[in-house]
């Protein structure tokens, strides 16, 4: 295949294309939210294959249609998640051998390598969802799977810290960090990666009945929670200072909303920890406390969504990098905020409003709020389909040069 017919992603590869895998994995989670909150699963914190089949057998046409769509969505986007992950891992090998890799490692962009452990952690989370939904009897062996899952997440976390340590060792030990080129929230990517590892590490706390497993999950996930929080706070301050001086870097503008999926992941992590504390260690929180926590998270997310969308419109990002002739791997970062808001709205509604008795489950208000979450989800489905065609489809016509 000639260079004229190579997909845009292959012509100008960047580790940020791991976000294509991440976005598909996030959409897998959004379809699982339908099953999580709309399918009964008595005695278990999550629905499994047997619960889903029972609901399909006894439910009406609406329930059956929802289950078919949810399972189809999980299957399709988990496949795209793994497909994009494998594609990136293959192309990353050529990228690290390329002539420009040394310059890449000597710049602020080195932290883009954190997109790899971020995508790997998302893939493990997605695989667990696919197993719950499609594998009969999986729940009976989960106590054996939880330690293996924590080992996998520890390995991914170690990889993430190696990349982060190499970057910090260089810029702190030798200097060279370009504050003028830090005019975005791109340096929050390491925090996002560690948070994704942490939320996977917290899953056994919410699902295991073994106190040792729950305790290990609580301790290890807390480490990643705090690490992600510290790095995110530092990156926030540094990024705002540079943006006030230089203005936002146009191609990195989608990172202004990276705090939205970051907070969703950390919010789910804390919910999982609370559940483990409640079921295993008799630490009881109230529905009101959960509602307030989720409302605070959603409020911050709403503020950053408005802020980010305003800036993107002001600099013409959509017309340049999404619908225009310039291509940018960073466009995939637009998927994460929509997915994060959709997932958080489901939790805010079900674990907050419904649990506190403010909204009746399956009432008019319930479906109105759920409709907003589903609307965001479907918009991100359309965006992923569009971006995949734009970046990964071979084009017989010459492509415009991507932005630097």
């Amino acid at each position: 295949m000639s260079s004229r017919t190579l997909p845009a992603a292959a012509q100008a590869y960047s580790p940020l294309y791991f976000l294509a895998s991440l976005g598909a994995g996030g959409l897998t989670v959004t379809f699982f939210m339908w099953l999580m909150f709309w399918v009964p699963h008595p005695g278990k914190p999550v629905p499994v294959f047997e619960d889903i089949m029972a609901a399909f057998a006894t439910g009406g046409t609406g329930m059956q249609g929802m289950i078919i769509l949810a399972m189809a969505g999980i299957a399709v986007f988990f496949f795209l998640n793994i497909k994009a992950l494998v594609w990136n891992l293959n192309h990353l090998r050529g990228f690290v051998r390329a002539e420009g890799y040394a310059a890449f490692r000597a710049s602020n962009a080195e932290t883009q390598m954190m997109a790899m452990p971020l995508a790997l952690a998302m893939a493990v989370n997605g695989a667990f969802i696919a197993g719950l939904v499609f594998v009969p009897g999986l729940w009976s062996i989960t106590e054996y799977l939880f330690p293996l899952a924590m080992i996998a997440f520890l390995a991914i976390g170690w990889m993430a810290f190696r990349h982060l340590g190499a970057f910090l060792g260089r810029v702190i030990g030798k200097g060279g960090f370009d504050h003028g080129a830090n005019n975005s929230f791109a340096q929050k990517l390491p925090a996002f990666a560690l948070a994704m590892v942490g939320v996977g590490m917290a899953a056994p706390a919410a699902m295991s009945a073994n106190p040792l497993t729950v305790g290990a999950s609580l301790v290890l996930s807390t480490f990643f929670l705090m690490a992600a929080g510290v790095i995110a706070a530092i990156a926030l301050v540094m990024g705002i200072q540079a943006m006030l001086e230089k203005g936002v870097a146009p191609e990195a503008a989608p990172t202004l909303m990276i705090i939205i999926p970051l907070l969703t992941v950390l919010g789910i992590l804390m919910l999982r920890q609370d559940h483990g504390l409640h079921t295993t260690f008799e630490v009881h929180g109230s529905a009101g406390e959960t509602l307030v926590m989720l409302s605070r998270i959603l409020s911050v997310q709403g503020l950053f969504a408005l802020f980010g969308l305003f800036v993107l419109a002001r600099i013409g990002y959509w017309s340049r990098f999404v619908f225009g002739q310039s291509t940018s791997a960073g466009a995939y970062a637009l998927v994460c905020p929509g997915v994060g808001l959709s997932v958080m709205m489901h939790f805010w509604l079900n674990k907050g409003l419904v649990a506190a008795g403010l909204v009746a489950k399956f009432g008019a208000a319930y479906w109105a709020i759920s409709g907003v979450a589903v609307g965001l989800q479907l918009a991100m489905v359309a965006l992923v389909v569009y971006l995949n065609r734009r970046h990964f489809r071979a084009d017989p016509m010459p492509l415009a040069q991507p932005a630097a």
Side-chain angles (χ1 to χ4, degrees), residues 87-237:
W87 184 92
N88 272 280
L89 291 173
N90 287 333
H91 281 74
L92 185 66
R93 285 184 295 204
F95 178 76
V96 299
R97 298 190 186 106
E99 184 178 346
Y101 182 65
F104 170 85
R105 289 292 301 269
S107 69
N108 292 7
E110 184 181 1
T111 53
Q112 291 181 11
M113 293 295 293
M114 295 291 286
M116 178 176 61
L118 172 60
L120 288 171
M122 181 75 256
V124 175
N125 285 313
F128 190 73
I129 287 175
L132 291 175
V133 172
F134 294 109
V135 180
L138 185 69
W139 189 254
S140 63
I141 60 169
T142 50
E143 291 296 350
Y144 301 100
L145 297 179
F146 289 142
L148 297 178
M150 287 195 289
I151 292 172
F153 282 115
L154 278 175
I156 297 171
W158 174 253
M159 180 190 303
F161 274 113
R162 284 191 62 187
H163 285 300
L164 182 60
F167 172 74
L168 292 178
R170 175 178 63 81
V171 298
I172 294 176
K174 300 180 181 179
F177 184 79
D178 189 347
H179 289 278
N182 189 42
N183 49 339
S184 69
F185 288 153
Q187 296 303 322
K188 280 184 176 289
L189 188 60
F192 195 9
L194 296 177
M196 189 65 70
V197 173
V199 75
M201 193 71 73
M207 302 180 199
S208 177
N210 185 312
L212 181 60
T213 301
V214 174
S217 174
L218 287 170
V219 172
L220 292 171
S221 61
T222 297
F223 171 77
F224 285 98
L225 167 69
M226 299 309 297
V230 169
I231 294 170
I234 294 172
L236 178 69
V237 174

Side-chain angles (χ1 to χ4, degrees), residues 41-45 139:
H41 43 94
K44 293 184 287 294
W139 189 254

Side-chain angles (χ1 to χ4, degrees), residues 45-385:
V46 291
V48 298
F49 176 83
E50 289 76 13
D51 298 315
I52 298 166
M53 291 300 100
F56 187 85
T58 60
T61 303
M63 174 68 78
Q64 291 176 341
M66 179 275 292
I67 290 174
I68 291 172
L69 288 174
M71 294 182 74
I74 290 169
V76 168
F77 284 101
F78 179 63
F79 169 76
L80 292 177
N81 172 212
I82 300 302
K83 179 183 178 182
L85 179 63
V86 172
W87 184 92
N88 272 280
L89 291 173
N90 287 333
H91 281 74
L92 185 66
R93 285 184 295 204
F95 178 76
V96 299
R97 298 190 186 106
E99 184 178 346
Y101 182 65
F104 170 85
R105 289 292 301 269
S107 69
N108 292 7
E110 184 181 1
T111 53
Q112 291 181 11
M113 293 295 293
M114 295 291 286
M116 178 176 61
L118 172 60
L120 288 171
M122 181 75 256
V124 175
N125 285 313
F128 190 73
I129 287 175
L132 291 175
V133 172
F134 294 109
V135 180
L138 185 69
W139 189 254
S140 63
I141 60 169
T142 50
E143 291 296 350
Y144 301 100
L145 297 179
F146 289 142
L148 297 178
M150 287 195 289
I151 292 172
F153 282 115
L154 278 175
I156 297 171
W158 174 253
M159 180 190 303
F161 274 113
R162 284 191 62 187
H163 285 300
L164 182 60
F167 172 74
L168 292 178
R170 175 178 63 81
V171 298
I172 294 176
K174 300 180 181 179
F177 184 79
D178 189 347
H179 289 278
N182 189 42
N183 49 339
S184 69
F185 288 153
Q187 296 303 322
K188 280 184 176 289
L189 188 60
F192 195 9
L194 296 177
M196 189 65 70
V197 173
V199 75
M201 193 71 73
M207 302 180 199
S208 177
N210 185 312
L212 181 60
T213 301
V214 174
S217 174
L218 287 170
V219 172
L220 292 171
S221 61
T222 297
F223 171 77
F224 285 98
L225 167 69
M226 299 309 297
V230 169
I231 294 170
I234 294 172
L236 178 69
V237 174
M238 293 174 60
I240 288 178
Q241 180 180 359
M243 282 187 285
L244 291 176
E245 293 178 357
K246 303 287 186 179
V248 68
E251 194 171 357
T255 64
L256 297 180
M257 296 185 287
I258 196 174
I259 197 170
I260 296 173
L262 173 62
L263 287 177
T264 293
V265 171
L266 293 179
I268 295 173
L269 189 161
M270 290 185 285
L271 285 174
R272 287 176 168 179
Q273 289 185 331
D274 287 344
H275 188 81
L277 288 170
H278 168 72
T279 57
T280 305
F281 298 107
E282 299 296 327
V283 177
H284 304 293
S286 68
E289 291 172 328
T290 302
L291 173 62
V292 170
M293 180 189 76
L294 295 177
S295 296
R296 288 170 177 167
I297 290 174
L298 194 59
S299 297
V300 175
Q301 290 176 319
L303 288 172
F304 274 87
L306 293 173
F307 169 58
L309 290 173
F310 172 79
V311 174
L312 289 174
R314 186 66 179 266
I315 66 173
Y317 183 89
W318 298 95
S319 61
R320 290 181 60 186
F321 300 110
V322 179
F323 303 112
Q325 293 191 357
S326 296
T327 56
S328 170
Y332 276 96
L334 295 169
V335 178
C336 301
V339 168
L341 273 177
S342 176
V343 172
M344 180 49 62
M345 288 193 72
H346 280 293
F347 277 98
W348 176 67
L349 172 60
N350 290 275
K351 297 296 185 181
L353 296 176
V354 172
L358 299 179
V359 171
K361 189 159 188 175
F362 302 141
Y366 182 92
W367 289 120
I369 298 172
S370 295
V372 176
V374 172
L376 285 168
Q377 172 189 357
L378 296 180
M380 294 306 103
V381 168
L383 181 59
V384 165
V385 171

